[in-house]
Structures are given as structure tokens and as C-alpha cells.
Amino acid sequence: MLLINQNELLAEGNHVIRTAIEKCIQCGTCSASCPLSQYMDYTPRQIVTLVREGLIHEALKTKTIWLCSTCYLCAVRCPAKINIGEFMTVLKRFTLKNGYSDNLLYPKLMRTYVEYVDKYGRISEPRLMIKFSLKINPFKLLKMLPLSMKLLRDGVLSFSLERVQNLHEVKA
Amino acid sequence: MIGRNLSYYPGCSCSKYGTGRYYGSSSIAVLKALGVDIKEIEDWNCCGSNLYRVIDEKRAYLLGVRNIAKALEMNLPEILVLCPACFLSLNRTLTEVSTNKELKNELKEKYNVIGSPLFSKLRIRHIIDFLVNDIGEEAVKNRVEKKLEGLKIAAYYGCQITRPYGYFDDPEFPTSLERIISWIGGQPVESSLKTKCCGGMLMLTNEKEVLNVIEKILKSYAKVGAEFIVTACPLCHLNLEIAKTRLSEKAGLDKDIPIIYFTQLIGFSFNIPIEELGISKAVAERLDRKIALTVAARGEVNG
Ligand code: SF4
Ligand code: SF4
């Protein structure tokens, strides 16, 4: 396992990581505001503590960072003006770069999404959902069937996809 | 309001085949009815959303910038956006390119327009912002043909329309949609969780947790007596639809409570054909029935 230190993390998301390390007063407003904190293994406030203590490896292994939906309620409420949603985004990116989250669902979803964008320049949500479900658990698709039928009836669901014409411009 | 021109970025969700296509079609119809001409950005691509930004930040900005450059080439200083996630990422891209000199210089070589005077004037506008602050009360009211009298309508904003930047309204308790609802004759009711996050894409990876979060949200809507819920985000909309079938009764809401885009509702009050707006017959009948009841009740009181 790679040993990661604060400086490497600082290089990745300098501003937001530095602000959190230097300015957080550990008030817990972020944790109290977070719609998902009750399902996290560490609260957002505790993630700041881990990073501040240099326990980067522990922070990157938490479920917390992948449960952050980047809703930014923490960010607008933090008395020290720290954008914890952005802080989580940097941690996510850093985790992926250091390659120890390959079996988690959320990174898989993101990769499927990125594959689509790289290939077509745009995405089709229904196709993305199907491809993702096939990757992780095909039975999930059966569960989605009733709703899909309803959406099809309402004319909301379509599997067509318009791709970008000048794809080379997107790729470059 | 004649003569207002904006370029339009539909984004994947609100485009022709996206799940939010009726958010797109109803917005276009409503703006047209108000005399606003929007021109779709040609051959636009993915906005380079937060998801992409986690994998590759630089490339996410490059994706965003191609759309911005294409809009500038149309010589229009404002881009209209519907999807809050696209709104956020295009705004973020614009800020990044404006403040990051190195990136800006690199991009100037690729797109001439990035160095042009128009670039510094460019604004990314959300349709709520545009309707409330540019079109305004009088123009909207003048266009209403069917007042939504007696309808208790609750808006659900979701998170990213106003956060983190709060461009045009309060980041936590915005009121723009409530104003629009009252302009078209409805009675806005407000849930304290109207900007609580719906869980977004986590619905696909953490369904149980997300459904718990949405249950709380739906309960808060039941508590204030919402009869119709309007949304402004294709992802929130889809998540609420998914959750509604399983949770509305548990949350104390009518199991068929209509959840529609706020632009569909405006279009309805403008008497735009429901096919164009993507409102189902059942929902249209429900709206009409409710209005008729209110009007009849008032007649009895007055008579
Ligand atoms: S709200 Fe801000 S200051 Fe308070 S614990 Fe969270 S990050 Fe630290
Ligand atoms: S941005 Fe993330 S950490 Fe902050 S409140 Fe939202 S979900 Fe929680």
C-alpha cells in the first residue's frame, strides 16, 4: 500500500484542503447539515480531523467520501467558509488516482459515465443505468421494470442517443 | 419582452431523448409564449459534470469550455440552462477559465472567442433566474389564461440550483419558484426541506439510504398539505418519481400526487397544448377539476 502524506493531498486540491486543515473549528455544522451523514462511517467533521492528523490513508478508505452527493449544504453553512463538498470531491479524485477503490460501486458508475461521454460526447441516462446495472447486478434491472414501464407509457423513457457530430473536438 | 435572445444549452437530460425532455420542451414553449427566442447551441456536448470532474478535472473543464465557445460564436452573451447540474458545472468552468490564467491562455489558442470582449460579459443563466428577474411578474401574469386557483403547489428545488454559489437566490431558502407559482394563480405551500438533496446519482449505488432521505422529504411535503409538487431538476424529478410509487402512502401523501416540472405548470396556465408540455391527460384533468372546484366554491360564497 502506498503511503500517502498530507503534501501529496495538498498538491491535488491545494486550496480547499489547506483551508480545511487550517481553518476548521470542528463545530460539526457540516455533519449536522449533511443529509447522508447518518449513513457514513465517519462524519464530514471527522474526515477533516483525519486529514488534519495526517491519517490520509484512513480518510480515503471511508465510505463517507462516496456517500457525499455534493449537495453543498455543508459549504453554505460552514462558519469557517470551508467547502466540504469540494473537499470530498478532491478526496474522491485522490482515492481513484491512488487506485484503491476499484471495487466500490460509485467509482464504477463514474467510469461507466466517463466511457459514454468519451465515446459519444453525450450520455443517455437509461442506457447508462442499464450498462451500470449489468456490470454490478443484472437482477437490479428486473426490479426497475415496473417503473420503466410506467415511464415508457408516459413517453419519458427512450433508449435513443444523439451523439456529438464533431467528436474529434470533444476528444482532443 | 420581445427581442430577447439567448443561446440554449439543453444538456443530456433535457434534450430530445433525455428523461427530462419535457422540462426542455415545456421551457421552450413557455419562453416562446413570452416572446423570448432561444437558439440551441449547435452540436453541444456533455457539460463536464461533477462526476467527470472526479475522474479528470482538466478534461471536465475542456468539455465545458467547448459549449461555452460554441455559444460565444453565436454572438449571444447569455446561455440559458435548465438542468441544475449543468448550470453548476458550466458556471464552474466559466469561473475556472476566467481566473486560471494558464488555462485561459491555452484555451485562447484553441478558441479565439475565449479572448474576446464577449467572453468577459458572458453569463450562464438558470431559467428560474431568467423568468423571475428578467421577464418578471407583469409579463408572466399577462400571459396567464387559466389561473391555477385553489391549487396547493409545493416547489422542490433540490440542491444545486442555488448551491454552493447562490447566484440568484438564497442558497438554503430560495423563494423564486413560490413567486412564480403565485403569479400563475396558485397557492404556494413551503416545505422546510425544499432544498434538501434528493441523493442524486446515489440512487443507483445506495438505494436504501437515498430512499430514507426522500421519505423525510416527502413527509415534509405531506405536512404542509402539498397537492402538487413542482420540480426544477431532471434528476430530482426522476428520483421523486421512483420514490413516490413506493413511499408516498407511507409519507402521508396521495399515492398519485402529480410531480411535474414547474415549466409544465406555467405552460398549463398559459393554455399551451398538454402534448407539447408533456403533461399526461390524468394530471391535466386533475388540475382542471381542482380549479373548477375552487371556482364553484367561490361562486357559492359570493352568490
Ligand atoms: S462546518 Fe466547517 S468549521 Fe464546522 S466542523 Fe465542518 S468544516 Fe469544520
Ligand atoms: S456536500 Fe456532501 S458532505 Fe456536504 S452536506 Fe452534502 S452530502 Fe454532506
Side-chain angles (χ1 to χ4, degrees):
Chain A
M1 184 58 64
L2 281 168
L3 221 82
I4 297 152
N5 62 34
Q6 260 185 3
N7 288 339
E8 288 174 64
L9 188 59
L10 279 168
E12 177 67 43
N14 209 325
H15 179 68
V16 66
I17 301 289
R18 188 177 294 282
T19 330
I21 291 176
E22 287 173 2
K23 300 257 163 69
C24 173
I25 54 167
Q26 292 285 299
C27 66
T29 304
C30 48
S31 310
S33 311
C34 179
L36 289 142
S37 64
Q38 72 183 98
Y39 311 107
M40 293 169 170
D41 42 2
Y42 287 80
T43 62
R45 178 189 64 82
Q46 288 171 325
I47 300 285
V48 179
T49 319
L50 290 177
V51 170
R52 177 181 273 169
E53 297 297 321
L55 300 168
I56 313 293
H57 179 70
E58 278 69 17
L60 300 185
K61 274 192 321 194
T62 58
K63 276 197 227 157
T64 301
I65 54 175
W66 303 107
L67 271 168
C68 167
S69 63
T70 52
C71 75
Y72 302 113
L73 190 54
C74 51
V76 299
R77 284 185 177 173
C78 173
K81 297 201 162 54
I82 299 162
N83 187 341
I84 289 296
E86 186 61 18
F87 179 83
M88 298 287 188
T89 302
V90 175
L91 290 183
K92 282 177 192 163
R93 194 182 306 129
F94 198 70
T95 307
L96 290 182
K97 270 198 184 154
N98 288 287
Y100 51 97
S101 59
D102 289 346
N103 294 318
L104 295 175
L105 285 186
Y106 207 78
K108 272 198 185 132
L109 175 64
M110 290 191 305
R111 290 211 170 89
T112 316
Y113 166 83
V114 165
E115 275 165 29
Y116 257 101
V117 175
D118 288 349
K119 197 159 162 198
Y120 302 109
R122 298 182 190 172
I123 61 151
S124 143
E125 304 126 303
R127 283 210 218 173
L128 176 65
M129 283 183 208
I130 289 177
K131 193 158 179 202
F132 174 66
S133 306
L134 285 176
K135 269 191 194 172
I136 55 154
N137 174 9
F139 292 107
K140 213 177 143 112
L141 284 176
L142 284 175
K143 246 174 70 191
M144 299 198 310
L145 211 57
L147 178 80
S148 312
M149 295 311 287
K150 182 191 173 291
L151 293 177
L152 267 176
R153 269 200 311 279
D154 292 351
V156 175
L157 205 60
S158 159
F159 296 99
S160 312
L161 167 70
E162 273 186 322
R163 61 174 82 203
V164 168
Q165 298 300 315
N166 296 313
L167 259 180
H168 65 278
E169 291 178 18
V170 178
K171 292 218 161 105
Chain B
M1 239 15 249
I2 315 281
R4 245 341 250 283
N5 293 313
L6 293 92
S7 67
Y8 167 51
Y9 178 78
C12 303
S13 294
C14 301
S15 64
K16 203 158 123 202
Y17 300 118
T19 56
R21 82 182 65 166
Y22 292 125
Y23 190 10
S25 72
S26 58
S27 298
I28 294 171
V30 162
L31 289 174
K32 199 167 139 211
L34 290 165
V36 181
D37 191 17
I38 55 173
K39 290 194 184 65
E40 183 168 328
I41 297 172
E42 232 174 85
D43 203 32
W44 53 268
N45 57 267
C46 162
C47 65
S49 72
N50 249 340
L51 276 188
Y52 208 111
R53 232 174 113 248
V54 171
I55 304 259
D56 188 338
E57 185 173 31
K58 172 98 187 273
R59 207 167 129 60
Y61 291 140
L62 294 180
L63 283 166
V65 137
R66 180 172 174 271
N67 299 309
I68 290 176
K70 286 199 166 289
L72 289 171
E73 278 159 17
M74 297 161 81
N75 218 1
L76 297 170
E78 289 171 294
I79 307 179
L80 186 89
V81 187
L82 313 179
C83 170
C86 299
F87 175 67
L88 174 59
S89 62
L90 289 180
N91 262 312
R92 201 194 307 267
T93 303
L94 185 61
T95 311
E96 182 68 22
V97 179
S98 314
T99 51
N100 181 337
K101 278 211 181 91
E102 206 180 310
L103 183 64
K104 190 170 174 182
N105 286 336
E106 184 187 326
L107 287 167
K108 266 191 207 159
E109 282 177 25
K110 197 163 169 190
Y111 305 106
N112 287 331
V113 279
I114 297 296
S116 73
L118 196 60
F119 174 75
S120 44
K121 277 197 226 134
L122 181 73
R123 287 173 73 201
I124 320 272
R125 306 289 306 272
H126 191 268
I127 185 165
I128 299 180
D129 170 25
F130 183 70
L131 285 173
V132 171
N133 298 315
D134 289 35
I135 301 283
E137 179 168 2
E138 210 185 309
V140 173
K141 277 187 171 165
N142 282 341
R143 188 58 190 70
V144 172
E145 287 181 21
K146 212 176 344 180
K147 274 189 156 187
L148 305 179
E149 288 183 87
L151 265 58
K152 289 198 179 131
I153 303 159
Y156 178 59
Y157 291 78
C159 55
Q160 291 183 342
I161 291 183
T162 51
R163 290 198 299 265
Y165 299 116
Y167 280 111
F168 60 89
D169 207 333
D170 187 88
E172 223 177 306
F173 294 107
T175 50
S176 300
L177 283 175
E178 283 76 14
R179 290 169 68 191
I180 296 178
I181 292 167
S182 67
W183 295 347
I184 57 177
Q187 180 188 339
V189 290
E190 274 178 277
S191 147
S192 56
L193 300 184
K194 63 185 182 180
T195 64
K196 197 83 172 174
C197 172
C198 72
M201 294 289 256
L202 290 171
M203 182 64 108
L204 287 171
T205 57
N206 299 72
E207 191 184 271
K208 213 175 76 215
E209 292 85 346
V210 168
L211 286 176
N212 279 336
V213 171
I214 301 185
E215 190 180 330
K216 283 185 211 148
I217 296 175
L218 290 178
K219 275 192 179 138
S220 79
Y221 280 81
K223 212 165 116 193
V224 295
E227 295 168 331
F228 297 85
I229 297 178
V230 291
T231 54
C233 166
L235 192 52
C236 294
H237 193 91
L238 194 60
N239 277 355
L240 287 195
E241 280 284 351
I242 293 173
K244 164 177 123 172
T245 27
R246 300 193 214 170
L247 296 176
S248 14
E249 279 175 297
K250 208 167 151 198
L253 281 172
D254 176 349
K255 77 173 191 335
D256 297 317
I257 183 165
I259 300 174
I260 61 177
Y261 293 106
F262 79 98
T263 44
Q264 290 179 301
L265 197 69
I266 302 177
F268 187 81
S269 78
F270 286 4
N271 233 345
I272 294 170
I274 57 171
E275 298 75 29
E276 206 175 323
L277 301 170
I279 295 182
S280 72
K281 276 218 177 73
V283 170
E285 277 164 17
R286 205 173 161 125
L287 286 163
D288 279 330
R289 213 180 317 128
K290 188 78 203 177
I291 296 170
L293 278 175
T294 317
V295 174
R298 199 184 44 224
E300 274 167 29
V301 173
N302 293 342

